Amino acid sequence: MKKIWKFPLAIPTTTIQIPYSGRILCFQCQFGIPTVWVEFNDGDQFKKNERLHIVPTGMPFDSSWLYVGTALDGQFVWHLYSEPVKREIIH
């Protein structure tokens, strides 16, 4: 079985702790709050840190970051990137 959790994000950077099997499905603004939805295996006892960066259109960002998605929020357009980090298992 799988589950999906949602995580609200802060601008510009947030580190979230997600199940180790987790993967980001979607990035959108919900009620004006940048949010990601993460799918993972139910019963996954290990976690990992995921460092996420929200970049406004036209702003510079680190070229090593990996694109996740884009969200519209009224007049704003946010682009979400994941920072490659060494994966550590958190108990």
Side-chain angles (χ1 to χ4, degrees):
M1 298 277 303
K2 292 189 177 258
K3 286 187 177 179
I4 298 174
W5 285 348
K6 75 175 186 176
F7 296 85
L9 305 177
I11 298 171
T13 302
T14 304
T15 300
I16 59 174
Q17 196 173 85
I18 64 174
Y20 199 77
S21 63
R23 68 181 183 103
I24 296 172
L25 295 176
C26 183
F27 168 57
Q28 294 186 27
C29 289
Q30 185 179 44
F31 307 113
I33 300 169
T35 305
V36 291
W37 284 261
V38 175
E39 176 187 79
F40 63 97
N41 295 327
D42 191 18
D44 194 343
Q45 297 181 20
F46 300 106
K47 298 194 182 326
K48 62 183 177 183
N49 288 324
E50 192 76 40
R51 189 162 174 83
L52 302 171
H53 301 274
I54 297 174
V55 180
T57 298
M59 298 302 293
F61 60 93
D62 190 306
S63 62
S64 70
W65 296 351
L66 305 173
Y67 177 76
V68 176
T70 295
L72 305 176
D73 182 23
Q75 67 184 20
F76 300 106
V77 179
W78 307 115
H79 308 282
L80 184 67
Y81 288 85
S82 175
E83 183 177 335
V85 294
K86 180 183 174 192
R87 298 285 184 220
E88 296 182 37
I89 296 176
I90 302 167
H91 299 276

